[in-house]
Amino acid sequence: MPAPDLVEILNLKKHYPIHRFGIKKKVIRVVDGVSLSIKKGETLGLVGESGCGKSTTGRMIAQLISSTEGEIFFKGENISNFVGKKSKQLSKKIQYVFQDPYTSLNPRHKIGALLKEPLTIHNIGNKQDRRQSVLEMLEQIGLDPSFENKYIHQLSGGQRQRIAIARALMLRPELLILDEPVSALDVSVQSQILNLLKDLQQQFSLTYLFISHDLNVVHYMSDRVTVMYLGKIVEASDVDHIYKEPLHPYTQTLVSSIPTVLKEEKRKRIFLEGEIPNPSSTIKGCSFQSRCPFAYDRCKVEQPKLINFDNEQMVRCHLYS
Ligand code: SF4
C-alpha cells in the first residue's frame, strides 16, 4: 500500500457568522470547501489575492484556528479535532512561519532565549543541550554565535526572518507552513531567504506549504501550485503547467503579471476589471463572473465545479466542462 500524503485536507471550511442584535444575519465564507494534498518532501505553493483564504487554510492545517467543517489528515491520521496534549505533540511536526517576525517573536527576549523556548516548552534536552542546539541552528541559518545575545530589534529584516525560520525548525518539524515569508523584504534579501529555505528543505527533509500572493516567488519555490479565489480552489497543477498553460481566466491574469513569463512566453499582460464580490454575499453562479472577460450566460446561474481537466490540471471553470 502506498504511503499516505503528508497532508490531506477534505472539504475544509472556515465560515464566520455575522450577528446583529444576537441574530445571525450573514456568513463570511473565508474558506469554502478546500480539498488538497501535500506530498512528503515537496513544496506546494498556495496563491491568490489578499483575502482569498490562503492564510486561513494554512492556519487551520497548523491548528492555529479551528475549522467550521471538513477534515485534516497528517500522515494518514485525522487531526481535525486534536486538542490539549495531542495538539501540543502535533505542533512539533507542523510549524508556521509568519510574514512579520514581530508578531511571533517576543521583542523583550534575546535571540538565544527565543530559540530555546520551543525546546523548553516541549521539555527537550537539558540547559546545555538546548544552548548547543541554539548555536548549531544559528550556524545553519547563516548567523554567527554572537546573535544569541542580540534582540530582535537589533536585526535587519532578513536576519529577523532567519530567526523566525530557525525558531520554527528547533523542534525538527516535518511540515513548515510559510506564510508570505519574504513579502516584507527587499528583492535582494528575498532571494537569500528563498535560497536558505531551499537548502534547509534538503538538510532537514522538510515539506513546505508556501503561501504567497507573489507568483514569481511561488514559481521559484514550488513543485505544484494551487490557486485560490474567494475561498475556493480555482486551479491546481504542477508548476510548469500552471505557468506555461494556465487554464482558469483568473490564473491567466495572475501569470500574465510575471515579467519573465511575459518575456519568455511572449504574452500580453491581462488587467482585471470589475469588483471583487463581498464574501458575505450569496453568489449565484461563478464567483469570478464579475471580473471574468469570458463570462457568459451559464456563468451567471451555475456554479462551476473543480474538474480534472487532464491528469495534470484541475480547473473550476465552465469553459472546460
Ligand atoms: Fe469566467 Fe465563466 Fe469560467 Fe467563471 S465559469 S471563470 S465566469 S468563464
Side-chain angles (χ1 to χ4, degrees), residues 250-262:
Y250 177 60
T251 318
Q252 288 169 4
T253 310
L254 293 180
V255 171
S256 87
S257 68
I258 306 174
T260 48
V261 171
L262 283 180

Side-chain angles (χ1 to χ4, degrees), residues 234 247-250 285-300 302-305 315-321:
V234 294
L247 296 175
H248 195 281
Y250 177 60
C286 175
S287 55
F288 190 58
Q289 61 181 282
S290 60
R291 303 169 84 193
C292 181
F294 307 108
Y296 61 108
D297 291 349
R298 186 182 173 194
C299 310
K300 293 182 186 133
E302 190 186 330
Q303 208 179 90
K305 292 190 172 72
V315 64
R316 186 189 295 277
C317 174
H318 290 316
L319 297 175
Y320 304 94
S321 60

